[in-house]
Short mmCIF file of all heavy atoms in Angstrom, two decimals:
data_model
loop_
_atom_site.label_atom_id
_atom_site.label_comp_id
_atom_site.label_asym_id
_atom_site.label_seq_id
_atom_site.Cartn_x
_atom_site.Cartn_y
_atom_site.Cartn_z
N ASP A 7 0.78 -1.18 -0.05
CA ASP A 7 -0.02 -0.01 -0.07
C ASP A 7 0.89 1.23 0.01
O ASP A 7 0.34 2.34 -0.26
CB ASP A 7 -0.97 0.02 1.27
CG ASP A 7 -2.09 -0.94 1.02
OD1 ASP A 7 -2.34 -1.27 -0.12
OD2 ASP A 7 -2.71 -1.41 2.04
N HIS A 8 2.08 1.15 0.37
CA HIS A 8 2.94 2.38 0.39
C HIS A 8 4.06 2.49 -0.64
O HIS A 8 4.92 3.24 -0.68
CB HIS A 8 3.68 2.49 1.85
CG HIS A 8 2.73 2.75 2.96
ND1 HIS A 8 2.10 1.81 3.64
CD2 HIS A 8 2.36 3.88 3.56
CE1 HIS A 8 1.28 2.25 4.52
NE2 HIS A 8 1.49 3.53 4.51
N LEU A 9 3.84 1.68 -1.75
CA LEU A 9 4.66 1.77 -2.85
C LEU A 9 4.37 3.13 -3.55
O LEU A 9 3.31 3.68 -3.60
CB LEU A 9 4.37 0.70 -3.87
CG LEU A 9 4.92 -0.70 -3.44
CD1 LEU A 9 4.41 -1.69 -4.60
CD2 LEU A 9 6.49 -0.73 -3.52
N ASP A 10 5.39 3.80 -4.09
CA ASP A 10 5.35 4.91 -4.89
C ASP A 10 4.68 4.73 -6.18
O ASP A 10 4.09 5.66 -6.77
CB ASP A 10 6.69 5.75 -5.06
CG ASP A 10 7.14 6.21 -3.71
OD1 ASP A 10 6.37 6.43 -2.79
OD2 ASP A 10 8.44 6.29 -3.52
N SER A 11 4.77 3.49 -6.72
CA SER A 11 4.30 3.10 -8.00
C SER A 11 2.90 2.48 -7.79
O SER A 11 2.62 1.91 -6.76
CB SER A 11 5.19 2.11 -8.67
OG SER A 11 6.55 2.80 -8.91
N GLY A 12 2.17 2.52 -8.86
CA GLY A 12 0.97 1.81 -8.85
C GLY A 12 1.02 0.50 -9.24
O GLY A 12 1.79 0.08 -10.27
N PHE A 13 0.35 -0.54 -8.45
CA PHE A 13 0.55 -1.90 -8.68
C PHE A 13 -0.76 -2.59 -8.72
O PHE A 13 -1.59 -2.34 -7.77
CB PHE A 13 1.47 -2.55 -7.71
CG PHE A 13 1.74 -4.00 -7.93
CD1 PHE A 13 2.69 -4.46 -8.82
CD2 PHE A 13 0.88 -4.95 -7.26
CE1 PHE A 13 2.87 -5.75 -9.10
CE2 PHE A 13 1.07 -6.35 -7.57
CZ PHE A 13 2.09 -6.79 -8.47
N ALA A 14 -1.07 -3.54 -9.58
CA ALA A 14 -2.32 -4.27 -9.57
C ALA A 14 -2.16 -5.66 -10.21
O ALA A 14 -1.28 -5.82 -11.19
CB ALA A 14 -3.45 -3.53 -10.39
N LEU A 15 -2.76 -6.51 -9.67
CA LEU A 15 -2.76 -8.02 -10.34
C LEU A 15 -4.08 -8.28 -10.88
O LEU A 15 -5.22 -7.97 -10.33
CB LEU A 15 -2.59 -9.00 -9.07
CG LEU A 15 -2.51 -10.46 -9.50
CD1 LEU A 15 -1.29 -10.73 -10.35
CD2 LEU A 15 -2.56 -11.27 -8.29
N HIS A 16 -4.04 -8.90 -12.20
CA HIS A 16 -5.22 -9.00 -12.98
C HIS A 16 -5.30 -10.44 -13.40
O HIS A 16 -4.26 -11.11 -13.46
CB HIS A 16 -5.18 -8.14 -14.28
CG HIS A 16 -4.87 -6.70 -14.03
ND1 HIS A 16 -3.64 -6.27 -13.71
CD2 HIS A 16 -5.69 -5.69 -13.94
CE1 HIS A 16 -3.67 -4.96 -13.47
NE2 HIS A 16 -4.88 -4.54 -13.66
N GLU A 17 -6.46 -10.90 -13.79
CA GLU A 17 -6.71 -12.16 -14.40
C GLU A 17 -7.48 -12.06 -15.78
O GLU A 17 -8.43 -11.26 -15.76
CB GLU A 17 -7.58 -12.87 -13.31
CG GLU A 17 -7.86 -14.46 -13.92
CD GLU A 17 -8.69 -15.20 -12.84
OE1 GLU A 17 -9.89 -14.84 -12.72
OE2 GLU A 17 -8.09 -16.11 -12.18
N ILE A 18 -6.99 -12.80 -16.62
CA ILE A 18 -7.63 -12.77 -18.02
C ILE A 18 -8.88 -13.54 -17.96
O ILE A 18 -8.90 -14.63 -17.41
CB ILE A 18 -6.63 -13.25 -19.16
CG1 ILE A 18 -5.58 -12.27 -19.37
CG2 ILE A 18 -7.47 -13.59 -20.43
CD1 ILE A 18 -6.02 -11.14 -20.11
N VAL A 19 -9.96 -13.02 -18.61
CA VAL A 19 -11.20 -13.61 -18.72
C VAL A 19 -11.32 -14.18 -20.16
O VAL A 19 -11.29 -13.44 -21.04
CB VAL A 19 -12.40 -12.73 -18.39
CG1 VAL A 19 -13.73 -13.27 -18.50
CG2 VAL A 19 -12.22 -12.21 -17.00
N VAL A 20 -11.63 -15.48 -20.27
CA VAL A 20 -11.68 -16.16 -21.53
C VAL A 20 -13.11 -16.37 -21.89
O VAL A 20 -13.85 -17.02 -21.00
CB VAL A 20 -10.80 -17.34 -21.62
CG1 VAL A 20 -10.94 -18.13 -22.92
CG2 VAL A 20 -9.46 -17.11 -21.22
N GLY A 21 -13.63 -16.08 -22.97
CA GLY A 21 -14.98 -16.34 -23.46
C GLY A 21 -15.18 -17.73 -23.84
O GLY A 21 -14.37 -18.55 -23.86
N SER A 22 -16.46 -18.13 -24.20
CA SER A 22 -16.91 -19.43 -24.54
C SER A 22 -16.19 -19.96 -25.87
O SER A 22 -15.99 -21.07 -26.06
CB SER A 22 -18.36 -19.56 -24.77
OG SER A 22 -18.81 -18.69 -25.69
N ASP A 23 -15.63 -18.97 -26.64
CA ASP A 23 -14.88 -19.22 -27.84
C ASP A 23 -13.36 -19.47 -27.66
O ASP A 23 -12.68 -19.72 -28.63
CB ASP A 23 -15.10 -18.23 -28.92
CG ASP A 23 -14.68 -16.82 -28.33
OD1 ASP A 23 -14.30 -16.80 -27.19
OD2 ASP A 23 -14.66 -15.81 -29.13
N GLY A 24 -13.01 -19.49 -26.38
CA GLY A 24 -11.64 -19.65 -26.08
C GLY A 24 -10.76 -18.44 -26.26
O GLY A 24 -9.51 -18.65 -26.04
N MET A 25 -11.40 -17.28 -26.58
CA MET A 25 -10.59 -16.11 -26.81
C MET A 25 -10.71 -15.16 -25.66
O MET A 25 -11.84 -15.08 -25.03
CB MET A 25 -11.07 -15.36 -28.10
CG MET A 25 -10.89 -16.27 -29.34
SD MET A 25 -9.23 -16.61 -29.75
CE MET A 25 -8.56 -15.04 -30.13
N PRO A 26 -9.70 -14.38 -25.31
CA PRO A 26 -9.74 -13.34 -24.19
C PRO A 26 -10.84 -12.31 -24.55
O PRO A 26 -10.95 -11.79 -25.55
CB PRO A 26 -8.42 -12.77 -24.18
CG PRO A 26 -7.44 -13.73 -24.96
CD PRO A 26 -8.29 -14.42 -25.97
N SER A 27 -11.71 -12.25 -23.46
CA SER A 27 -12.85 -11.31 -23.68
C SER A 27 -12.68 -10.07 -22.67
O SER A 27 -13.54 -9.11 -22.75
CB SER A 27 -14.13 -11.96 -23.44
OG SER A 27 -14.19 -12.54 -22.06
N GLY A 28 -11.68 -10.15 -21.80
CA GLY A 28 -11.63 -9.01 -20.76
C GLY A 28 -10.69 -9.48 -19.72
O GLY A 28 -10.01 -10.48 -19.75
N TYR A 29 -10.56 -8.64 -18.72
CA TYR A 29 -9.77 -8.91 -17.50
C TYR A 29 -10.25 -8.24 -16.27
O TYR A 29 -10.94 -7.29 -16.48
CB TYR A 29 -8.26 -8.68 -17.79
CG TYR A 29 -8.02 -7.38 -18.38
CD1 TYR A 29 -7.83 -6.26 -17.55
CD2 TYR A 29 -7.81 -7.26 -19.73
CE1 TYR A 29 -7.57 -4.99 -18.27
CE2 TYR A 29 -7.71 -6.03 -20.37
CZ TYR A 29 -7.53 -4.89 -19.53
OH TYR A 29 -7.30 -3.69 -20.21
N LYS A 30 -10.01 -8.83 -15.13
CA LYS A 30 -10.52 -8.26 -13.96
C LYS A 30 -9.40 -8.02 -12.87
O LYS A 30 -8.30 -8.75 -12.95
CB LYS A 30 -11.59 -9.05 -13.38
CG LYS A 30 -11.29 -10.51 -13.06
CD LYS A 30 -12.52 -11.35 -12.77
CE LYS A 30 -12.20 -12.82 -12.60
NZ LYS A 30 -13.36 -13.72 -12.44
N VAL A 31 -9.54 -7.00 -12.06
CA VAL A 31 -8.50 -6.78 -11.02
C VAL A 31 -8.63 -7.66 -9.76
O VAL A 31 -9.89 -7.89 -9.26
CB VAL A 31 -8.65 -5.32 -10.54
CG1 VAL A 31 -7.61 -4.94 -9.56
CG2 VAL A 31 -8.57 -4.33 -11.70
N LEU A 32 -7.59 -8.36 -9.49
CA LEU A 32 -7.61 -9.28 -8.26
C LEU A 32 -7.24 -8.38 -7.14
O LEU A 32 -7.64 -8.74 -5.95
CB LEU A 32 -6.72 -10.50 -8.46
CG LEU A 32 -7.12 -11.33 -9.71
CD1 LEU A 32 -6.09 -12.50 -9.73
CD2 LEU A 32 -8.52 -11.91 -9.53
N ALA A 33 -6.27 -7.55 -7.21
CA ALA A 33 -5.79 -6.69 -6.16
C ALA A 33 -5.12 -5.47 -6.71
O ALA A 33 -4.51 -5.47 -7.82
CB ALA A 33 -4.79 -7.45 -5.33
N MET A 34 -5.19 -4.28 -5.99
CA MET A 34 -4.48 -3.12 -6.44
C MET A 34 -4.14 -2.28 -5.16
O MET A 34 -4.94 -2.46 -4.10
CB MET A 34 -5.57 -2.32 -7.37
CG MET A 34 -6.66 -1.74 -6.63
SD MET A 34 -7.52 -0.46 -7.65
CE MET A 34 -8.27 -1.52 -8.87
N ASN A 35 -3.18 -1.53 -5.30
CA ASN A 35 -2.80 -0.60 -4.13
C ASN A 35 -3.50 0.74 -4.40
O ASN A 35 -4.14 1.03 -5.34
CB ASN A 35 -1.29 -0.58 -3.96
CG ASN A 35 -0.60 0.19 -5.08
OD1 ASN A 35 -1.22 0.49 -6.10
ND2 ASN A 35 0.68 0.24 -4.95
N ALA A 36 -3.37 1.57 -3.38
CA ALA A 36 -4.02 2.89 -3.31
C ALA A 36 -3.52 3.69 -4.50
O ALA A 36 -4.29 4.47 -5.07
CB ALA A 36 -3.97 3.60 -2.01
N VAL A 37 -2.23 3.71 -4.77
CA VAL A 37 -1.58 4.51 -5.69
C VAL A 37 -2.09 4.10 -7.03
O VAL A 37 -2.43 5.11 -7.94
CB VAL A 37 -0.03 4.37 -5.74
CG1 VAL A 37 0.62 5.24 -6.78
CG2 VAL A 37 0.57 4.81 -4.38
N PHE A 38 -2.32 2.93 -7.38
CA PHE A 38 -2.85 2.46 -8.66
C PHE A 38 -4.33 3.00 -8.86
O PHE A 38 -4.68 3.55 -9.91
CB PHE A 38 -2.85 0.88 -8.79
CG PHE A 38 -3.29 0.48 -10.04
CD1 PHE A 38 -2.24 0.07 -11.10
CD2 PHE A 38 -4.52 0.10 -10.40
CE1 PHE A 38 -2.61 -0.40 -12.21
CE2 PHE A 38 -4.94 -0.36 -11.59
CZ PHE A 38 -3.89 -0.59 -12.59
N ALA A 39 -5.17 2.80 -7.76
CA ALA A 39 -6.47 3.33 -7.91
C ALA A 39 -6.57 4.84 -8.10
O ALA A 39 -7.37 5.23 -8.94
CB ALA A 39 -7.25 3.04 -6.55
N GLU A 40 -5.62 5.60 -7.48
CA GLU A 40 -5.54 6.98 -7.75
C GLU A 40 -5.19 7.33 -9.11
O GLU A 40 -5.71 8.24 -9.83
CB GLU A 40 -4.72 7.72 -6.68
CG GLU A 40 -4.62 9.22 -6.72
CD GLU A 40 -3.70 9.72 -7.81
OE1 GLU A 40 -2.78 9.18 -8.05
OE2 GLU A 40 -4.04 10.82 -8.26
N MET A 41 -4.14 6.58 -9.74
CA MET A 41 -3.68 6.85 -10.91
C MET A 41 -4.71 6.59 -11.93
O MET A 41 -4.92 7.35 -13.03
CB MET A 41 -2.44 6.02 -11.19
CG MET A 41 -1.24 6.42 -10.59
SD MET A 41 0.13 5.25 -10.99
CE MET A 41 1.50 6.09 -10.14
N MET A 42 -5.53 5.55 -11.81
CA MET A 42 -6.49 5.12 -12.81
C MET A 42 -7.84 5.83 -12.62
O MET A 42 -8.77 5.71 -13.34
CB MET A 42 -6.71 3.63 -12.77
CG MET A 42 -5.46 2.71 -13.07
SD MET A 42 -4.76 3.27 -14.77
CE MET A 42 -5.94 2.88 -15.65
N GLY A 43 -7.99 6.46 -11.45
CA GLY A 43 -9.27 7.13 -11.15
C GLY A 43 -10.42 6.20 -10.90
O GLY A 43 -11.59 6.50 -11.26
N VAL A 44 -10.15 5.04 -10.22
CA VAL A 44 -11.24 4.16 -9.91
C VAL A 44 -11.18 4.02 -8.36
O VAL A 44 -10.28 4.23 -7.61
CB VAL A 44 -10.89 2.77 -10.56
CG1 VAL A 44 -11.03 2.84 -12.03
CG2 VAL A 44 -9.59 2.10 -10.09
N ALA A 45 -12.40 3.48 -7.87
CA ALA A 45 -12.62 3.24 -6.45
C ALA A 45 -11.95 1.93 -6.13
O ALA A 45 -12.15 0.89 -6.80
CB ALA A 45 -14.05 3.24 -6.16
N ARG A 46 -11.18 1.84 -5.08
CA ARG A 46 -10.43 0.67 -4.58
C ARG A 46 -11.50 -0.15 -3.73
O ARG A 46 -12.10 0.35 -2.85
CB ARG A 46 -9.24 1.09 -3.76
CG ARG A 46 -8.40 -0.22 -3.33
CD ARG A 46 -7.23 0.26 -2.59
NE ARG A 46 -6.38 -0.93 -2.20
CZ ARG A 46 -5.65 -0.91 -1.19
NH1 ARG A 46 -5.33 0.17 -0.52
NH2 ARG A 46 -4.84 -1.97 -0.89
N SER A 47 -11.63 -1.51 -4.02
CA SER A 47 -12.54 -2.37 -3.28
C SER A 47 -11.68 -3.35 -2.51
O SER A 47 -10.65 -3.86 -2.98
CB SER A 47 -13.39 -3.05 -4.25
OG SER A 47 -14.19 -4.03 -3.67
N PRO A 48 -12.15 -3.76 -1.33
CA PRO A 48 -11.38 -4.76 -0.55
C PRO A 48 -11.42 -6.07 -1.31
O PRO A 48 -10.52 -6.88 -0.84
CB PRO A 48 -12.12 -4.72 0.78
CG PRO A 48 -13.42 -4.22 0.55
CD PRO A 48 -13.31 -3.19 -0.58
N LYS A 49 -12.48 -6.37 -1.96
CA LYS A 49 -12.50 -7.61 -2.67
C LYS A 49 -11.97 -7.44 -4.16
O LYS A 49 -11.24 -6.51 -4.39
CB LYS A 49 -13.97 -8.13 -2.67
CG LYS A 49 -14.53 -8.35 -1.29
CD LYS A 49 -15.98 -8.81 -1.30
CE LYS A 49 -16.52 -9.15 0.04
NZ LYS A 49 -17.83 -9.49 0.02
N ARG A 50 -12.57 -8.22 -5.01
CA ARG A 50 -12.09 -8.13 -6.42
C ARG A 50 -12.58 -6.69 -7.09
O ARG A 50 -13.72 -6.38 -6.85
CB ARG A 50 -12.65 -9.25 -7.26
CG ARG A 50 -12.12 -10.69 -6.78
CD ARG A 50 -12.43 -11.68 -7.74
NE ARG A 50 -11.78 -12.94 -7.38
CZ ARG A 50 -11.28 -13.75 -8.12
NH1 ARG A 50 -11.12 -13.52 -9.47
NH2 ARG A 50 -10.68 -14.83 -7.66
#
């Protein structure tokens, strides 16, 4: 949480056709949330 850089862990979402359709955030620090302008959630 106190890194100067923004850091986030993501997981690729694969569709029924076997092709990547998106990705979701598994974890992010406060700096990353501020940089991206999104609300940080304690869960996914």
